[in-house]
Amino acid sequence: MQYKVIRIEENMDFGCEERQPGERLMSVVILEREDGREISLKHDDERLYERDINEGDIVTLDENREIWKVQP
């Protein structure tokens, strides 16, 4: 299934504590399914940059819920 990236936000939910040293920065990614429903998931922010995933892109999810950009 393909999804459209609606929004990417920095995950600021660390509970009572701040992000720990060495802990990876996570983003909350809001995706729109083909049927119009939205889903959200946390994803490693560095991987989003490595894969050049931005708002408006069309992506897929693999079996590990990793996001991959669909190449035009």
Side-chain angles (χ1 to χ4, degrees), residues 5-69:
V5 178
I6 301 298
R7 195 167 52 253
I8 300 173
E9 301 172 346
E10 185 176 334
N11 179 32
M12 300 302 289
D13 182 18
F14 303 113
C16 301
E17 303 173 10
E18 294 184 16
R19 186 165 50 107
Q20 299 299 307
E23 186 177 356
R24 298 186 75 89
L25 178 63
M26 301 295 283
S27 289
V28 176
V29 183
I30 310 299
L31 302 173
E32 182 179 60
R33 296 182 351 176
E34 293 170 339
D35 64 6
R37 294 179 60 192
E38 291 184 2
I39 62 170
S40 67
L41 54 95
K42 290 182 183 177
H43 201 280
D44 184 316
D45 191 66
E46 187 174 326
R47 288 194 181 143
L48 294 174
Y49 280 107
E50 288 171 356
R51 297 173 185 166
D52 193 31
I53 296 173
N54 298 291
E55 293 178 359
D57 287 340
I58 303 300
V59 299
T60 60
L61 296 176
D62 67 16
E63 62 276 356
N64 297 316
R65 294 181 57 96
E66 288 281 329
I67 298 173
W68 297 90
K69 188 173 188 174

